[in-house]
Amino acid sequence: MNDWPDRRTGDRSERYGRGSANPQPESARAMPHIQRRPTPQRPPTPPQRPQVPPQSQGYDDRYQDSGYANSPDPGYDSGYNTGQVYGSGGGGSDGRGGGGRRGGGDGGYVQGRPAPDWRRRIKLGALTLVVVVLAVSISTYFWADSKLKREVDLSKVIERPESGDGTNYLIVGSDSREGMSAEEKKRLRTGSAEGKRTDSMMILHDGSNGPTLISLPRDSNVEIPSFVGSESGKKFQGTGRQVKLNAAYAEDGPELLVRTVEFNTGLHIDHYVEIGFGGFAKIVDAIGGVELDIPKAFKDKKSGADFQAGKQTLNGEQSLAFVRTRYALPGSDLDRTKNQQKFLAALASQTATPGTIINPFKLYPTMGAGLDTLVVDKDMSLWALGNMFFAMKGVTGGEGTSMNIPISGTVGSNLVWDKAKVKQLVEQLNNDEKVTVKGN
Protein backbone atom coordinates (compact mmCIF):
# COMPACT_ATOMS: atom_id res chain seq x y z
CA MET A 1 0.00 0.00 0.00
CA ASN A 2 1.32 3.37 -0.99
CA ASP A 3 1.32 5.50 2.05
CA TRP A 4 2.36 8.63 0.16
CA PRO A 5 -0.68 10.63 -0.81
CA ASP A 6 -1.53 11.89 -4.26
CA ARG A 7 0.75 9.99 -6.68
CA ARG A 8 3.67 9.76 -4.38
CA THR A 9 5.68 6.61 -4.33
CA GLY A 10 7.58 5.11 -1.59
CA ASP A 11 10.84 5.91 -3.27
CA ARG A 12 12.84 7.55 -0.59
CA SER A 13 14.84 9.37 -3.23
CA GLU A 14 11.78 11.33 -4.39
CA ARG A 15 9.99 11.81 -1.15
CA TYR A 16 9.75 15.20 0.51
CA GLY A 17 12.91 15.99 2.42
CA ARG A 18 15.57 13.84 0.85
CA GLY A 19 17.79 14.30 3.85
CA SER A 20 21.40 13.32 3.69
CA ALA A 21 20.85 10.73 0.92
CA ASN A 22 20.89 13.40 -1.79
CA PRO A 23 23.66 15.90 -1.91
CA GLN A 24 21.37 18.49 -3.55
CA PRO A 25 19.08 20.27 -1.15
CA GLU A 26 15.45 20.12 -2.01
CA SER A 27 13.65 23.36 -2.67
CA ALA A 28 10.41 24.12 -0.92
CA ARG A 29 7.41 22.55 -2.64
CA ALA A 30 3.75 22.68 -2.02
CA MET A 31 2.03 19.87 -0.23
CA PRO A 32 -1.27 19.41 -2.03
CA HIS A 33 -2.77 17.18 0.59
CA ILE A 34 -2.60 20.07 3.14
CA GLN A 35 -5.12 22.72 2.34
CA ARG A 36 -5.14 26.11 3.98
CA ARG A 37 -8.37 27.56 5.21
CA PRO A 38 -9.22 30.55 3.07
CA THR A 39 -8.76 33.84 4.86
CA PRO A 40 -12.03 35.75 5.06
CA GLN A 41 -11.81 39.12 3.37
CA ARG A 42 -12.97 42.09 5.35
CA PRO A 43 -12.53 45.77 4.76
CA PRO A 44 -9.64 47.20 6.73
CA THR A 45 -10.64 48.94 9.90
CA PRO A 46 -9.48 52.56 9.83
CA PRO A 47 -6.97 53.29 12.55
CA GLN A 48 -8.40 54.96 15.59
CA ARG A 49 -6.54 57.47 17.70
CA PRO A 50 -6.23 56.15 21.21
CA GLN A 51 -7.95 58.16 23.86
CA VAL A 52 -5.73 59.91 26.36
CA PRO A 53 -6.16 58.53 29.87
CA PRO A 54 -5.90 60.83 32.87
CA GLN A 55 -2.33 61.89 33.63
CA SER A 56 -2.28 60.16 36.97
CA GLN A 57 -3.11 56.79 35.37
CA GLY A 58 -1.28 54.63 32.83
CA TYR A 59 -2.73 53.03 29.72
CA ASP A 60 -6.15 51.52 30.32
CA ASP A 61 -6.85 47.86 29.54
CA ARG A 62 -7.93 48.58 26.01
CA TYR A 63 -4.33 49.13 24.95
CA GLN A 64 -2.81 45.81 25.87
CA ASP A 65 -0.43 43.84 23.71
CA SER A 66 -3.37 42.04 22.10
CA GLY A 67 -3.99 44.82 19.60
CA TYR A 68 -7.07 46.98 18.92
CA ALA A 69 -9.65 47.05 21.63
CA ASN A 70 -12.58 47.08 19.18
CA SER A 71 -11.44 44.05 17.16
CA PRO A 72 -14.02 41.23 17.21
CA ASP A 73 -11.26 38.68 17.48
CA PRO A 74 -8.44 39.99 19.69
CA GLY A 75 -6.30 36.96 18.98
CA TYR A 76 -6.67 37.18 15.22
CA ASP A 77 -3.94 38.73 13.04
CA SER A 78 -5.33 39.94 9.76
CA GLY A 79 -1.94 41.01 8.50
CA TYR A 80 -3.09 44.63 8.14
CA ASN A 81 -0.54 47.18 9.43
CA THR A 82 -1.78 50.70 10.11
CA GLY A 83 1.74 52.06 10.69
CA GLN A 84 0.95 53.12 14.26
CA VAL A 85 2.59 51.74 17.32
CA TYR A 86 0.87 51.74 20.67
CA GLY A 87 2.60 51.07 23.92
CA SER A 88 5.90 49.92 22.44
CA GLY A 89 9.30 50.79 23.75
CA GLY A 90 11.18 50.44 26.93
CA GLY A 91 8.56 51.71 29.34
CA GLY A 92 8.21 48.34 31.01
CA SER A 93 7.75 44.64 30.51
CA ASP A 94 4.05 45.02 29.72
CA GLY A 95 4.84 47.18 26.69
CA ARG A 96 3.36 50.36 28.09
CA GLY A 97 5.48 53.39 27.24
CA GLY A 98 6.26 55.76 30.04
CA GLY A 99 6.68 58.87 27.88
CA GLY A 100 4.28 61.70 27.30
CA ARG A 101 5.38 62.86 23.83
CA ARG A 102 3.88 62.16 20.44
CA GLY A 103 6.01 60.36 17.87
CA GLY A 104 8.77 59.38 20.28
CA GLY A 105 10.44 56.04 20.38
CA ASP A 106 8.83 55.40 23.71
CA GLY A 107 5.38 55.28 22.14
CA GLY A 108 4.03 57.97 24.44
CA TYR A 109 0.69 59.64 24.10
CA VAL A 110 -0.14 63.32 23.89
CA GLN A 111 -0.54 64.91 27.27
CA GLY A 112 -1.86 68.39 28.11
CA ARG A 113 0.53 71.39 28.22
CA PRO A 114 2.24 71.64 31.63
CA ALA A 115 1.36 74.54 33.91
CA PRO A 116 3.71 77.58 33.53
CA ASP A 117 6.54 77.85 36.06
CA TRP A 118 5.82 81.34 37.41
CA ARG A 119 8.66 81.21 39.91
CA ARG A 120 11.16 80.65 37.11
CA ARG A 121 9.55 83.39 34.99
CA ILE A 122 9.72 85.89 37.84
CA LYS A 123 13.39 85.07 38.44
CA LEU A 124 14.18 85.52 34.74
CA GLY A 125 12.23 88.80 34.65
CA ALA A 126 14.02 90.13 37.73
CA LEU A 127 17.41 89.13 36.30
CA THR A 128 16.60 90.83 33.00
CA LEU A 129 15.55 94.00 34.83
CA VAL A 130 18.77 94.05 36.86
CA VAL A 131 20.86 93.61 33.71
CA VAL A 132 19.01 96.45 31.95
CA VAL A 133 19.35 98.79 34.95
CA LEU A 134 23.07 98.02 35.24
CA ALA A 135 23.61 98.57 31.52
CA VAL A 136 21.79 101.91 31.58
CA SER A 137 23.59 103.02 34.76
CA ILE A 138 27.03 102.12 33.40
CA SER A 139 26.40 103.80 30.05
CA THR A 140 25.04 106.90 31.82
CA TYR A 141 28.11 107.03 34.07
CA PHE A 142 30.55 106.93 31.17
CA TRP A 143 28.46 109.43 29.20
CA ALA A 144 28.43 111.89 32.10
CA ASP A 145 32.07 111.28 32.94
CA SER A 146 33.07 112.10 29.36
CA LYS A 147 31.32 115.48 29.57
CA LEU A 148 33.21 116.71 32.64
CA LYS A 149 35.76 119.41 31.84
CA ARG A 150 38.72 118.49 34.02
CA GLU A 151 40.77 121.59 33.31
CA VAL A 152 42.09 122.62 36.73
CA ASP A 153 45.39 121.09 37.81
CA LEU A 154 45.71 121.37 41.59
CA SER A 155 49.16 119.78 41.44
CA LYS A 156 50.44 123.18 40.27
CA VAL A 157 49.43 124.72 43.60
CA ILE A 158 52.49 125.04 45.83
CA GLU A 159 53.05 125.12 49.62
CA ARG A 160 49.69 123.56 50.42
CA PRO A 161 48.39 123.03 53.99
CA GLU A 162 47.89 119.48 55.24
CA SER A 163 44.58 117.75 54.62
CA GLY A 164 42.16 117.41 57.50
CA ASP A 165 39.16 115.15 58.05
CA GLY A 166 36.28 115.39 55.62
CA THR A 167 36.28 116.82 52.10
CA ASN A 168 36.52 120.50 51.15
CA TYR A 169 35.14 121.83 47.86
CA LEU A 170 35.81 125.32 46.51
CA ILE A 171 32.66 126.19 44.54
CA VAL A 172 32.97 129.11 42.15
CA GLY A 173 30.27 130.85 40.15
CA SER A 174 31.94 132.70 37.28
CA ASP A 175 30.58 135.32 34.92
CA SER A 176 31.76 133.24 31.96
CA ARG A 177 29.60 133.78 28.87
CA GLU A 178 31.11 130.86 27.00
CA GLY A 179 28.63 129.21 24.63
CA MET A 180 26.02 131.94 25.05
CA SER A 181 24.46 133.59 22.01
CA ALA A 182 24.02 137.35 21.72
CA GLU A 183 20.30 136.90 22.36
CA GLU A 184 20.97 134.91 25.54
CA LYS A 185 23.43 137.52 26.82
CA LYS A 186 20.83 140.21 26.29
CA ARG A 187 18.00 138.22 27.87
CA LEU A 188 20.11 137.22 30.91
CA ARG A 189 21.62 140.73 31.25
CA THR A 190 25.17 139.36 31.46
CA GLY A 191 26.81 141.97 29.25
CA SER A 192 29.51 141.10 26.74
CA ALA A 193 32.71 141.47 28.74
CA GLU A 194 35.62 139.37 27.51
CA GLY A 195 37.23 136.73 29.71
CA LYS A 196 35.67 135.69 32.99
CA ARG A 197 35.73 136.65 36.64
CA THR A 198 34.42 135.10 39.82
CA ASP A 199 30.94 136.18 40.75
CA SER A 200 30.65 134.05 43.90
CA MET A 201 32.93 131.78 45.92
CA MET A 202 32.04 129.25 48.62
CA ILE A 203 33.75 126.53 50.62
CA LEU A 204 31.63 123.41 51.19
CA HIS A 205 32.93 121.08 53.91
CA ASP A 206 31.43 117.60 53.89
CA GLY A 207 32.14 115.71 57.11
CA SER A 208 30.68 113.41 59.75
CA ASN A 209 29.07 116.32 61.63
CA GLY A 210 27.05 117.45 58.66
CA PRO A 211 27.92 119.80 55.80
CA THR A 212 29.09 123.37 56.33
CA LEU A 213 28.73 125.99 53.59
CA ILE A 214 30.92 129.10 53.98
CA SER A 215 30.63 132.05 51.59
CA LEU A 216 33.74 134.05 50.71
CA PRO A 217 32.69 137.56 49.64
CA ARG A 218 34.33 138.60 46.37
CA ASP A 219 35.36 141.89 48.04
CA SER A 220 37.31 140.08 50.79
CA ASN A 221 40.70 141.65 51.50
CA VAL A 222 43.37 138.96 51.00
CA GLU A 223 47.10 138.62 50.39
CA ILE A 224 48.43 137.20 47.13
CA PRO A 225 51.17 134.67 48.13
CA SER A 226 54.02 133.32 46.04
CA PHE A 227 52.75 131.01 43.31
CA VAL A 228 53.67 129.18 40.11
CA GLY A 229 52.00 130.43 36.96
CA SER A 230 49.45 127.96 35.62
CA GLU A 231 50.50 128.56 32.01
CA SER A 232 54.10 129.77 32.22
CA GLY A 233 55.27 127.48 35.04
CA LYS A 234 57.26 130.45 36.35
CA LYS A 235 57.37 131.09 40.09
CA PHE A 236 56.23 134.49 41.29
CA GLN A 237 57.41 135.56 44.75
CA GLY A 238 54.87 136.93 47.17
CA THR A 239 55.25 140.62 48.03
CA GLY A 240 52.48 140.97 50.63
CA ARG A 241 50.22 142.55 48.03
CA GLN A 242 46.65 143.05 49.30
CA VAL A 243 43.80 142.69 46.78
CA LYS A 244 40.16 141.69 46.58
CA LEU A 245 39.69 137.94 46.47
CA ASN A 246 38.20 137.88 42.98
CA ALA A 247 41.38 139.55 41.64
CA ALA A 248 43.33 136.33 42.25
CA TYR A 249 41.11 134.48 39.78
CA ALA A 250 41.37 137.29 37.23
CA GLU A 251 45.15 137.31 37.52
CA ASP A 252 45.98 133.63 36.96
CA GLY A 253 42.80 131.57 37.05
CA PRO A 254 41.60 128.76 39.32
CA GLU A 255 45.03 127.56 40.46
CA LEU A 256 45.97 130.96 41.90
CA LEU A 257 42.51 131.31 43.45
CA VAL A 258 42.95 127.98 45.27
CA ARG A 259 46.47 128.96 46.33
CA THR A 260 45.18 132.30 47.70
CA VAL A 261 42.27 130.73 49.62
CA GLU A 262 44.51 128.07 51.17
CA PHE A 263 47.17 130.65 52.12
CA ASN A 264 44.70 133.03 53.79
CA THR A 265 42.61 130.36 55.57
CA GLY A 266 45.02 127.46 56.23
CA LEU A 267 42.34 125.06 54.90
CA HIS A 268 43.26 122.39 52.35
CA ILE A 269 41.02 122.42 49.26
CA ASP A 270 40.36 118.91 47.91
CA HIS A 271 38.26 119.72 44.85
CA TYR A 272 37.44 122.68 42.63
CA VAL A 273 34.05 123.19 40.92
CA GLU A 274 33.12 126.12 38.66
CA ILE A 275 29.97 126.90 36.70
CA GLY A 276 29.19 129.80 34.37
CA PHE A 277 26.13 131.96 33.83
CA GLY A 278 24.74 129.95 30.92
CA GLY A 279 25.01 126.56 32.59
CA PHE A 280 23.47 127.87 35.79
CA ALA A 281 20.36 129.13 34.00
CA LYS A 282 20.03 125.95 31.91
CA ILE A 283 20.09 123.70 34.98
CA VAL A 284 17.25 125.64 36.56
CA ASP A 285 15.16 125.45 33.39
CA ALA A 286 15.91 121.72 32.99
CA ILE A 287 14.36 120.86 36.37
CA GLY A 288 11.37 123.11 35.74
CA GLY A 289 12.39 126.01 37.98
CA VAL A 290 13.33 126.40 41.64
CA GLU A 291 10.79 127.21 44.33
CA LEU A 292 12.04 129.89 46.71
CA ASP A 293 10.59 131.88 49.58
CA ILE A 294 11.67 135.52 49.26
CA PRO A 295 11.06 137.34 52.57
CA LYS A 296 11.18 140.88 51.20
CA ALA A 297 10.49 142.33 47.76
CA PHE A 298 13.38 143.96 45.85
CA LYS A 299 14.18 145.28 42.41
CA ASP A 300 17.51 145.84 40.64
CA LYS A 301 17.88 147.28 37.15
CA LYS A 302 21.45 146.06 36.67
CA SER A 303 20.69 142.38 37.31
CA GLY A 304 17.11 142.52 36.06
CA ALA A 305 15.72 141.38 39.42
CA ASP A 306 12.10 142.24 40.16
CA PHE A 307 10.68 140.05 42.93
CA GLN A 308 7.69 140.22 45.21
CA ALA A 309 7.75 138.76 48.71
CA GLY A 310 6.53 135.21 49.24
CA LYS A 311 6.93 131.74 47.74
CA GLN A 312 7.46 131.61 44.00
CA THR A 313 9.08 129.45 41.33
CA LEU A 314 12.02 131.07 39.56
CA ASN A 315 13.04 130.13 36.03
CA GLY A 316 16.64 130.28 34.77
CA GLU A 317 16.59 133.98 33.92
CA GLN A 318 15.01 134.98 37.24
CA SER A 319 17.36 132.72 39.20
CA LEU A 320 20.44 134.31 37.67
CA ALA A 321 19.09 137.77 38.49
CA PHE A 322 18.40 136.69 42.07
CA VAL A 323 21.94 135.43 42.81
CA ARG A 324 23.65 138.38 41.08
CA THR A 325 21.76 141.22 42.79
CA ARG A 326 23.85 143.26 45.22
CA TYR A 327 23.09 146.97 44.81
CA ALA A 328 19.44 146.60 45.83
CA LEU A 329 20.33 144.86 49.10
CA PRO A 330 21.14 146.69 52.36
CA GLY A 331 24.21 144.55 53.10
CA SER A 332 25.44 144.63 49.49
CA ASP A 333 27.87 141.75 48.91
CA LEU A 334 27.25 140.10 52.29
CA ASP A 335 23.51 139.94 51.65
CA ARG A 336 24.15 138.68 48.15
CA THR A 337 26.26 135.76 49.44
CA LYS A 338 23.39 134.81 51.75
CA ASN A 339 20.99 134.79 48.80
CA GLN A 340 23.45 132.68 46.82
CA GLN A 341 23.69 130.14 49.64
CA LYS A 342 19.94 130.01 49.99
CA PHE A 343 19.37 129.53 46.29
CA LEU A 344 22.10 126.90 45.72
CA ALA A 345 20.86 124.85 48.66
CA ALA A 346 17.30 124.99 47.27
CA LEU A 347 18.56 124.06 43.80
CA ALA A 348 20.46 121.04 45.13
CA SER A 349 17.51 120.00 47.30
CA GLN A 350 15.10 120.05 44.37
CA THR A 351 17.54 118.45 41.93
CA ALA A 352 18.75 115.51 44.03
CA THR A 353 15.29 113.96 44.29
CA PRO A 354 13.88 110.60 43.08
CA GLY A 355 11.59 112.53 40.72
CA THR A 356 14.67 113.83 38.89
CA ILE A 357 17.07 110.92 39.31
CA ILE A 358 14.76 108.13 38.08
CA ASN A 359 13.05 110.22 35.40
CA PRO A 360 15.24 110.13 32.27
CA PHE A 361 13.27 113.03 30.74
CA LYS A 362 14.51 115.25 33.58
CA LEU A 363 17.78 113.56 34.54
CA TYR A 364 19.54 113.71 31.17
CA PRO A 365 18.61 117.33 30.33
CA THR A 366 19.65 118.40 33.84
CA MET A 367 22.96 116.56 33.72
CA GLY A 368 23.61 117.70 30.16
CA ALA A 369 22.92 121.34 31.01
CA GLY A 370 25.17 121.30 34.07
CA LEU A 371 28.03 119.17 32.77
CA ASP A 372 28.38 121.17 29.56
CA THR A 373 29.57 124.25 31.46
CA LEU A 374 31.00 122.63 34.60
CA VAL A 375 34.76 122.99 35.11
CA VAL A 376 36.40 120.77 37.74
CA ASP A 377 39.85 119.67 38.87
CA LYS A 378 41.56 116.71 37.22
CA ASP A 379 41.03 114.42 40.22
CA MET A 380 37.29 115.04 40.43
CA SER A 381 35.14 111.91 39.95
CA LEU A 382 31.41 111.71 39.33
CA TRP A 383 31.11 110.06 42.74
CA ALA A 384 32.78 113.02 44.46
CA LEU A 385 30.64 115.44 42.44
CA GLY A 386 27.49 113.59 43.47
CA ASN A 387 28.56 113.70 47.12
CA MET A 388 28.99 117.46 46.78
CA PHE A 389 25.40 117.94 45.56
CA PHE A 390 23.95 115.76 48.31
CA ALA A 391 26.02 117.63 50.90
CA MET A 392 24.65 120.88 49.49
CA LYS A 393 21.16 119.44 49.83
CA GLY A 394 21.87 118.62 53.47
CA VAL A 395 22.55 122.29 54.22
CA THR A 396 18.84 123.07 53.88
CA GLY A 397 17.72 119.76 55.40
CA GLY A 398 18.64 120.77 58.94
CA GLU A 399 21.77 118.61 58.90
CA GLY A 400 24.26 121.38 58.12
CA THR A 401 25.29 124.98 58.63
CA SER A 402 25.54 127.93 56.25
CA MET A 403 27.41 131.13 57.06
CA ASN A 404 29.62 133.92 55.75
CA ILE A 405 33.25 133.87 56.73
CA PRO A 406 33.68 135.98 59.89
CA ILE A 407 34.34 139.66 59.12
CA SER A 408 35.98 142.10 61.53
CA GLY A 409 35.72 145.32 59.53
CA THR A 410 36.67 147.01 56.26
CA VAL A 411 39.66 148.59 54.60
CA GLY A 412 38.36 151.00 52.01
CA SER A 413 35.80 148.95 50.12
CA ASN A 414 37.44 145.64 51.05
CA LEU A 415 36.06 143.33 53.76
CA VAL A 416 38.61 142.26 56.40
CA TRP A 417 38.37 138.77 57.84
CA ASP A 418 38.36 138.13 61.59
CA LYS A 419 41.61 136.15 61.79
CA ALA A 420 40.99 134.67 65.24
CA LYS A 421 37.54 133.35 64.31
CA VAL A 422 38.77 132.13 60.92
CA LYS A 423 41.53 130.17 62.65
CA GLN A 424 39.03 128.57 65.07
CA LEU A 425 36.66 127.78 62.22
CA VAL A 426 39.40 126.06 60.21
CA GLU A 427 40.48 124.00 63.23
CA GLN A 428 36.93 122.75 63.70
CA LEU A 429 36.65 121.85 60.02
CA ASN A 430 40.04 120.10 59.94
CA ASN A 431 39.10 118.04 63.01
CA ASP A 432 35.62 117.43 61.54
CA GLU A 433 34.01 118.89 64.67
CA LYS A 434 30.67 120.59 64.91
CA VAL A 435 31.04 124.22 63.84
CA THR A 436 30.29 126.67 66.64
CA VAL A 437 31.86 129.79 65.11
CA LYS A 438 29.33 132.33 63.94
CA GLY A 439 29.75 134.24 60.71
CA ASN A 440 28.31 137.49 59.46
Side-chain angles (χ1 to χ4, degrees), residues 46-85:
Q48 298 180 3
R49 186 188 297 265
Q51 298 181 2
V52 180
Q55 187 173 355
S56 61
Q57 302 176 7
Y59 289 102
D60 65 22
D61 294 337
R62 292 177 297 171
Y63 305 106
Q64 298 289 346
D65 295 336
S66 57
Y68 291 106
N70 296 329
S71 174
D73 187 3
Y76 174 73
D77 183 7
S78 65
Y80 179 78
N81 185 5
T82 64
Q84 296 189 3
V85 180

Side-chain angles (χ1 to χ4, degrees), residues 97-174:
R101 300 187 302 271
R102 175 184 294 182
D106 56 0
Y109 49 82
V110 180
Q111 294 183 353
R113 178 178 295 178
D117 189 347
W118 288 109
R119 181 177 298 178
R120 181 171 179 270
R121 292 186 179 185
I122 291 173
K123 288 182 178 179
L124 289 176
L127 180 60
T128 302
L129 179 61
V130 170
V131 171
V132 170
V133 170
L134 284 176
V136 172
S137 300
I138 292 173
S139 60
T140 299
Y141 178 89
F142 283 105
W143 167 78
D145 188 74
S146 66
K147 294 179 75 68
L148 277 179
K149 297 180 179 180
R150 296 183 173 92
E151 300 176 356
V152 180
D153 189 358
L154 295 183
S155 66
K156 295 180 180 180
V157 180
I158 62 174
E159 301 175 14
R160 309 191 67 186
E162 293 184 2
S163 299
D165 295 331
T167 304
N168 299 315
Y169 301 86
L170 180 60
I171 303 172
V172 175
S174 75

Side-chain angles (χ1 to χ4, degrees), residues 277-411:
F277 283 164
F280 180 83
K282 288 177 181 178
I283 291 175
V284 175
D285 288 334
I287 66 171
V290 174
E291 185 180 63
L292 206 64
D293 187 5
I294 300 177
K296 186 177 180 180
F298 64 90
K299 187 175 182 179
D300 182 21
K301 290 183 179 180
K302 290 189 176 182
S303 66
D306 188 1
F307 298 104
Q308 300 298 319
K311 286 187 177 181
Q312 49 204 289
T313 299
L314 279 58
N315 60 24
E317 179 181 350
Q318 294 170 324
S319 300
L320 193 57
F322 180 81
V323 298
R324 293 182 64 209
T325 298
R326 62 184 298 195
Y327 297 105
L329 303 176
S332 187
D333 201 34
L334 288 177
D335 283 348
R336 182 173 73 158
T337 56
K338 293 177 182 178
N339 280 347
Q340 290 171 347
Q341 288 180 349
K342 181 177 181 179
F343 182 87
L344 289 179
L347 174 63
S349 179
Q350 295 173 43
T351 301
T353 62
T356 299
I357 295 174
I358 66 176
N359 184 355
F361 297 102
K362 292 186 70 175
L363 175 63
Y364 286 98
T366 302
M367 293 180 66
L371 296 174
D372 279 342
T373 58
L374 203 64
V375 177
V376 298
D377 64 274
K378 292 186 175 182
D379 294 328
M380 174 71 82
S381 65
L382 281 178
W383 181 261
L385 189 61
N387 286 340
M388 185 197 78
F389 277 103
F390 278 98
M392 187 80 74
K393 179 181 178 180
V395 172
T396 57
E399 304 170 1
T401 303
S402 61
M403 57 185 291
N404 278 321
I405 198 163
I407 304 295
S408 61
T410 60
V411 174

Side-chain angles (χ1 to χ4, degrees), residues 182-296:
E183 182 181 352
E184 288 175 327
K185 292 177 183 178
K186 181 178 180 181
R187 179 173 59 86
L188 298 176
R189 297 174 181 262
T190 62
S192 300
E194 295 297 329
K196 58 181 181 180
R197 290 165 293 277
T198 54
D199 204 60
S200 62
M201 289 159 285
M202 303 178 188
I203 294 174
L204 175 64
H205 173 81
D206 185 19
S208 59
N209 277 295
T212 302
L213 185 62
I214 307 165
S215 286
L216 308 176
R218 57 183 288 180
D219 294 338
S220 296
N221 190 77
V222 295
E223 178 183 341
I224 298 293
S226 58
F227 68 96
V228 173
S230 59
E231 296 295 334
S232 65
K234 180 180 177 181
K235 185 171 183 179
F236 297 89
Q237 293 295 333
T239 60
R241 180 165 49 106
Q242 304 285 317
V243 298
K244 291 184 178 181
L245 181 58
N246 64 344
Y249 182 96
E251 186 172 332
D252 197 50
E255 287 85 0
L256 179 55
L257 178 61
V258 171
R259 167 70 174 138
T260 303
V261 170
E262 289 186 342
F263 177 81
N264 286 271
T265 62
L267 187 68
H268 181 90
I269 300 298
D270 298 291
H271 292 294
Y272 177 92
V273 181
E274 176 187 328
I275 189 168
F277 283 164
F280 180 83
K282 288 177 181 178
I283 291 175
V284 175
D285 288 334
I287 66 171
V290 174
E291 185 180 63
L292 206 64
D293 187 5
I294 300 177
K296 186 177 180 180

